[in-house]
Amino acid sequence: MDTTTTVILVIGAFSLATAAIIITKAFGAISLHRAELREKNSIIENGLPGKAVIESIQPTNAQLDDHPIVTMEVTVTAENGEVFRAPLRTAVPIIRVPEFQQGRTIDVKYAVVEGRMKVVAVGAYHP
């Protein structure tokens, strides 16, 4: 085998290995995203209700089905009067953007998942 053929085979093998790594990472990200959506939908269905004041809200560069994704810091008041702060990352339907502004109160559901308090906005986009 000459040097040119060896170089072509090495480059080909490297390209295949790189493609395999990229595909593996992409499927891992998709799997993680699906798990997060299942968790959010479970909290919406089974979580405890509360009201949350949006203390801060920041846009991200991401979208979910053409709905902007934002990160928020909220202060949640549970039905039993307990108050706690929590981060929240969610997609906001375009038509509901005015409801998701600093100082506004939104409906939420919350639950303890793996030892951490998770909060989900009721009016957010959950595919």
Side-chain angles (χ1 to χ4, degrees):
M1 190 174 343
D2 66 358
T3 305
T4 304
T5 304
T6 303
V7 169
I8 290 172
L9 289 174
V10 168
I11 290 172
F14 180 74
S15 297
L16 285 174
T18 302
I21 290 168
I22 290 170
I23 290 169
T24 301
K25 287 187 178 214
F27 280 115
I30 290 168
S31 178
L32 179 61
H33 177 70
R34 286 184 178 160
E36 289 173 359
L37 289 176
R38 279 192 302 274
E39 180 180 272
K40 285 183 178 184
N41 287 329
S42 175
I43 293 170
I44 288 291
E45 291 176 16
N46 305 310
L48 298 170
K51 297 283 186 183
V53 175
I54 300 171
E55 302 296 341
S56 66
I57 184 167
Q58 298 295 319
T60 67
N61 291 328
Q63 292 187 347
L64 179 60
D65 296 336
D66 295 327
H67 301 290
I69 296 177
V70 299
T71 57
M72 297 182 274
E73 185 71 27
V74 296
T75 300
V76 178
T77 303
E79 286 186 330
N80 66 3
E82 177 185 358
V83 177
F84 60 92
R85 286 182 68 103
L88 196 153
R89 179 179 165 98
T90 193
V92 178
I94 296 290
I95 197 156
R96 300 195 74 184
V97 166
E99 298 171 38
F100 288 83
Q101 300 297 318
Q102 187 171 347
R104 300 288 305 259
T105 300
I106 59 173
D107 291 323
V108 295
K109 293 277 189 107
Y110 64 93
V112 176
V113 178
E114 297 176 0
R116 296 183 60 206
M117 186 65 73
K118 300 280 184 137
V119 178
V120 178
V122 173
Y125 177 67
H126 305 286

